[in-house]
């Protein structure tokens, strides 16, 4: 047993010596590699059939940042476009119902203040609604009857005046500096007669389709009447029921945006009615003093067409100028055009900004595009409701943006301790940047006035 420690010592000394030799050889090999520029020993000892493959980057990181942002926005826009397309298809399928309900909203916005005044006097809600609705629909019916009666009464006289005006226009063209010959005028008249004769079948089919149009018009009128009655009588409860369809998290914001949208719609309808009435009165007086026939029906047409912004004024003004041209001659037509342009300039630069105000101001480009889109989608009805829809949407989006900013400032985490003192000026700046019309958040559906 005494020999065992000596034997173990000799083995340990031998292992130590062997390790030192290996360290010396490794150091010599590294010095030779540094001097000769050879490959490192780790790669030199790899077998020939082994291939070193570099690590590939993450594919998401390999795509440029701009392309990733464009892709993220692209698929969201595709989903939004698909949703809008489906919504438009649904609206087109029930176009009559949608237009009738929107028309009822516009009429309700016009008549609802009268209901409120009657209720403040002491009338019950049902009686106030019935009186207002009856009075409103009777007035609109009388306007339609008056226009029809005036047209039927003056149609014979207008036909003879139109024929005389055409003869006068023909004589003027023959002696005008345009060098129009009698043969060219006869050729134009012949072409018109041939066009009418070749399209007789189409005109007949349009006349047959007129029955369907009348039925649809009557249906739309009845739907509008019933919808207006219920909106006037029960608008608040309809609005509160609509709020229940909104998610609870978004309900306070929508509850605050609803009354503001309704005030915008009411201001737009009442302002448009007032502006249209002023246009009709002044243009009607102008063409009456110029001895243009059917001045009163033309004034009523101007009033009705004024509900289609920009386009309606152009169409009604052109109609008045054409009637003046074919009945009274070129000078009267020019004077009628001057009257129409003067009144419309006063309307666009003075009346609309003063009466409608900033709450319902829409950029002219937005007006033109919205009227064109509404006309392409739903005809005249779409052109009428396009601008108030844009005005209401603008009000709602602006309020929701302010509401979200106010909520973010209100519920942001407050600093504690020493940091609270340092961040006080920042909080003051944030409060100063908050919307000036900020109000306490509503906790439930409590609109300030009956809305639909």
């Amino acid at each position: 047993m005494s020999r065992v420690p000596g034997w173990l010592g000799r083995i340990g000394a031998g292992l130590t010596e062997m390790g030192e030799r290996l360290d010396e050889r490794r150091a010599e090999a590294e010095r030779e590699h540094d001097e000769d520029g050879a490959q490192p020993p780790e790669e030199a000892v790899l077998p020939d059939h082994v291939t070193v493959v570099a690590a590939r980057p993450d594919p998401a990181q390999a795509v440029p940042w701009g392309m990733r942002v464009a892709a993220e926005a692209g698929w969201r826009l595709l989903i939004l476009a698909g949703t809008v397309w489906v919504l438009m298809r649904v609206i087109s399928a029930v176009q009559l119902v949608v237009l009738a309900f929107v028309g009822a909203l516009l009429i309700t916005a016009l008549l609802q203040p009268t209901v409120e005044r009657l209720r403040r006097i002491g009338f019950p809600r049902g009686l106030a609604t019935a009186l207002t609705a009856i009075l409103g629909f009777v007035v609109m019916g009388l306007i339609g009857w008056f226009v029809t009666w005036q047209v039927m009464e003056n149609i014979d006289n207008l036909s003879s005046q139109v024929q005389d005006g055409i003869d006068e226009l023909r004589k003027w063209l023959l002696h005008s500096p345009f060098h129009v010959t009698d043969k060219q005028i006869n050729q134009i008249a012949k072409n018109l007669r041939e066009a009418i004769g070749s399209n007789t079948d189409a005109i007949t089919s349009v006349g047959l389709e007129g029955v369907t149009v009348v039925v649809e018009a009557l249906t739309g009128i009845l739907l509008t009447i019933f919808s207006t009655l219920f909106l006037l009588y029960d608008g608040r409860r309809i609005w509160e029921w609509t709020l229940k369809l909104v998610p609870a998290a978004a309900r306070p914001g929508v509850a605050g945006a609803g009354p503001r949208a309704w005030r915008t719609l009411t201001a737009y309808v009442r302002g448009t009615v007032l502006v249209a009435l002023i246009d009709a009165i002044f243009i009607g007086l102008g063409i009456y003093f110029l001895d243009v026939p059917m001045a009163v029906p033309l004034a009523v047409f101007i009033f009705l067409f004024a509900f289609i912004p920009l386009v309606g004024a152009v169409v009604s003004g052109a109609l008045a100028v054409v009637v003046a041209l074919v009945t009274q001659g070129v000078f009267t037509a020019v004077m009628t055009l001057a009257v129409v342009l003067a009144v419309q300039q006063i309307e666009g630069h003075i009346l609309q900004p003063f009466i409608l105000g900033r709450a319902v101001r829409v950029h002219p480009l937005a007006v033109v595009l919205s009227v064109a889109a509404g006309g392409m989608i739903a005809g005249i009805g779409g052109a009428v409701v396009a601008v108030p829809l844009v005005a209401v949407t603008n009000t709602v989006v602006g309020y929701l943006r302010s509401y979200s900013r106010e909520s973010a400032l209100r519920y942001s985490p407050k600093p504690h301790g020493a940091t609270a003192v340092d961040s006080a000026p920042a909080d003051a700046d944030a409060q100063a940047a908050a919307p000036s019309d900020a109000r306490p958040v509503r906790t439930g559906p409590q609109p300030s006035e009956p809305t639909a």
Side-chain angles (χ1 to χ4, degrees), residues 236 239-240 243 251-252 254-256 259-260 441-451:
R236 181 180 294 274
W239 169 246
E240 293 175 354
L243 282 178
R251 196 171 298 165
V254 177
R260 288 166 175 80
V441 179
R442 300 175 184 268
T443 57
Q446 298 174 359
S448 58
E449 65 273 328
T451 57

Side-chain angles (χ1 to χ4, degrees), residues 98-99 102-103 106 268 307-309 370 374 378-391:
V98 173
L99 289 179
V102 174
L106 297 177
Y268 174 84
F307 287 91
I308 307 176
S370 60
I380 296 177
V384 171
V385 304
V387 176
L389 179 62
V390 171

Side-chain angles (χ1 to χ4, degrees), residues 115 119 122-131 232-237:
V115 176
R119 292 188 62 187
F123 283 83
R125 181 171 61 179
L127 181 59
T129 302
L131 289 177
L232 287 173
Y233 180 78
D234 220 7
R236 181 180 294 274
R237 283 192 290 182

Side-chain angles (χ1 to χ4, degrees), residues 270-399:
R270 297 175 68 181
T272 303
V273 169
L274 184 57
V275 171
L277 185 62
I278 294 173
D279 283 354
I281 290 175
F282 283 98
I283 296 178
L285 288 175
I287 60 179
Y288 174 78
F289 286 115
L290 290 173
D291 291 331
V292 178
M294 293 200 310
V296 177
L298 287 175
V300 176
F301 277 117
I302 291 170
F303 173 80
L304 296 177
F305 276 95
F307 287 91
I308 307 176
L310 297 181
V311 179
V314 173
V315 173
S316 59
L319 179 62
V321 172
V322 169
V323 172
L325 176 64
V326 298
T327 57
Q328 300 295 325
V330 178
F331 177 76
T332 305
V334 172
M335 296 301 297
T336 303
L337 179 62
V339 171
V340 171
L341 291 179
V343 174
Q344 289 180 357
Q345 289 298 315
I346 296 174
E347 169 206 337
H349 294 88
I350 299 177
L351 295 180
Q352 285 190 352
F354 178 74
I355 296 175
L356 296 180
R358 294 181 177 273
V360 293
R361 184 173 296 177
V362 181
H363 195 276
L365 179 60
V367 172
V368 173
L369 295 179
S370 60
V371 170
M376 293 174 64
I377 294 173
I380 296 177
V384 171
V385 304
V387 176
L389 179 62
V390 171
V392 169
T393 303
N394 184 34
T395 301
V396 171
V397 171
Y399 172 79

Side-chain angles (χ1 to χ4, degrees), residues 194-247:
E194 291 177 355
I196 295 174
S198 61
N199 294 321
T200 303
D201 296 336
I203 296 173
T204 304
S205 64
V206 170
L208 295 176
E209 291 176 359
V211 179
T212 305
V213 173
V214 170
V215 173
E216 291 181 353
L218 292 177
T219 305
I221 291 172
L222 291 177
L223 286 175
T224 303
I225 292 174
F226 281 110
S227 300
T228 304
L229 288 174
F230 284 111
L231 289 174
L232 287 173
Y233 180 78
D234 220 7
R236 181 180 294 274
R237 283 192 290 182
I238 293 174
W239 169 246
E240 293 175 354
W241 177 83
T242 305
L243 282 178
K244 296 178 182 179
L245 304 177
V246 180

Side-chain angles (χ1 to χ4, degrees), residues 16-29:
T16 302
E17 183 179 0
M18 185 180 299
E20 292 175 352
R21 292 176 180 176
L22 289 175
D23 292 338
E24 291 177 357
R25 291 180 180 178
R26 187 178 297 110
E28 291 177 359

